[in-house]
Amino acid sequence: SFFAGWSLFWMSAAILRGVLRDPNIPLSWARRFWGRGLVWIARCQLVRHPGFIPEPGKPYIFVMNHQSLFDIVAAFVAIPVNIRFIAKKVLRLIPFLGWYMLATGMVFIDRNKREDAVKSLDEACDKIRSGISILVYPEGTRSRDGLILPFKKGPFVMAIQAGVPIVPVAIEGCQNLLERDSLRIQGGRVDIAIGQPIPTANLSVDDRDALMERVRNALIDLHLTIGGRGGERSTVYAAGDSSSAAVAALSTAASAPKLA
């Protein structure tokens, strides 16, 4: 299909450029050309709602709800800074995809052994602190009904260890544009909004659960403002209290953990 051909063309160009020059250049191509081209091909009306504008050169961890594979395209177009993804280290060996990820400086995690996992997490955090921004899908899978699912804890451990702000990003409509387990794209409207950053400075791993619930509640609120269904809200975090002491206290009060 033209969708695949368009992606292969820009992936090949990114590999050549990324190997020879700054990897930020092919990432900007993904935002300016690849993503915008696919939005046009898909006959997608992408609506970016007013919200937080990320500062270029400052690292963030963007946390986004997951509805379909087209979420990635929409994120590249709507988030006005270069973004990278967390990927399993084994993906580097896949032709074209692995080459593209290496050329654009994606962040790899090795989960095979605990020692390797800890080392790769430290390396990933160093990369983030150096100024790169990443996008994660903490639900771990695509929602079938549009409701925001429980979060996995890994991204929040990384955010605390890296000490960078978490920015919630809500998306709605991608599940209709590209349905789960389907490659057939049909035109439609996709809404996306970037929320205010949530700081992680001075937090410890003990604050992980409270931070996770705070971010999830913020994402649910944001999702509702753009016409989404939101999700089951946690009552652990008291909305409006952003002090690290409150977050730590709430973390202690949190009972059963969510998904590991």
Side-chain angles (χ1 to χ4, degrees), residues 59-61 86 107-109 117-134 154-164 205:
Y60 302 95
I61 294 181
I86 300 292
V107 179
F108 293 98
I109 296 290
V118 171
K119 181 180 178 181
S120 61
L121 178 62
D122 289 341
E123 291 173 352
C125 290
D126 287 341
K127 270 190 171 184
I128 296 168
R129 281 191 292 264
S130 73
I132 74 167
S133 292
I134 65 169
F156 303 95
V157 174
M158 177 176 290
I160 290 172
Q161 188 167 328
V164 301
V205 176

Side-chain angles (χ1 to χ4, degrees), residues 14-249:
I15 291 168
L16 293 175
R17 184 75 182 199
V19 168
L20 299 175
R21 298 270 182 106
D22 182 358
N24 283 302
I25 294 175
L27 282 175
S28 70
W29 288 354
R31 292 193 291 112
R32 295 164 54 201
F33 305 119
W34 174 76
R36 291 184 187 277
L38 290 181
V39 166
W40 179 78
I41 293 167
R43 293 175 286 113
C44 168
Q45 180 190 2
L46 183 60
V47 179
R48 183 168 60 191
H49 293 249
F52 174 67
I53 300 176
E55 182 181 336
K58 184 175 181 179
Y60 302 95
I61 294 181
F62 295 96
V63 168
M64 188 177 186
N65 61 305
H66 201 10
Q67 296 186 332
S68 87
L69 292 176
F70 205 83
D71 295 345
I72 297 172
V73 177
F76 267 114
V77 175
I79 298 175
V81 294
N82 291 336
I83 53 174
R84 293 170 170 86
F85 295 89
I86 300 292
K88 296 178 181 178
K89 196 172 183 179
V90 68
L91 293 180
R92 296 188 306 177
L93 304 176
I94 299 177
F96 279 101
L97 177 61
W99 303 338
Y100 174 81
M101 298 178 84
L102 284 169
T104 51
M106 298 296 175
V107 179
F108 293 98
I109 296 290
D110 188 347
R111 299 174 180 173
N112 290 332
K113 298 180 181 178
R114 177 174 174 80
E115 296 80 7
D116 293 337
V118 171
K119 181 180 178 181
S120 61
L121 178 62
D122 289 341
E123 291 173 352
C125 290
D126 287 341
K127 270 190 171 184
I128 296 168
R129 281 191 292 264
S130 73
I132 74 167
S133 292
I134 65 169
L135 175 69
V136 298
Y137 296 103
E139 294 164 290
T141 187
R142 287 164 283 173
S143 174
R144 290 188 177 274
D145 56 9
L147 288 170
I148 295 174
L149 304 173
F151 282 180
K152 294 182 180 292
K153 298 178 181 180
F156 303 95
V157 174
M158 177 176 290
I160 290 172
Q161 188 167 328
V164 301
I166 295 177
V167 179
V169 181
I171 192 166
E172 174 59 27
C174 276
Q175 74 275 25
N176 300 320
L177 194 80
L178 179 60
E179 295 181 356
R180 186 185 176 108
D181 304 324
S182 172
L183 295 178
R184 182 174 177 271
I185 299 177
Q186 48 194 358
R189 170 171 169 151
V190 172
D191 293 83
I192 191 166
I194 304 175
Q196 294 300 313
I198 296 173
T200 64
N202 302 318
L203 298 184
S204 71
V205 176
D206 291 337
D207 304 318
R208 174 197 61 192
D209 289 356
L211 176 65
M212 178 178 67
E213 296 300 345
R214 179 185 178 187
V215 173
R216 187 171 179 275
N217 285 344
L219 185 57
I220 289 171
D221 289 338
L222 194 62
H223 194 226
L224 290 170
T225 67
I226 62 172
R229 299 183 63 192
E232 185 178 352
R233 195 181 309 275
S234 169
T235 58
V236 175
Y237 175 73
D241 190 349
S242 59
S243 70
S244 59
V247 174

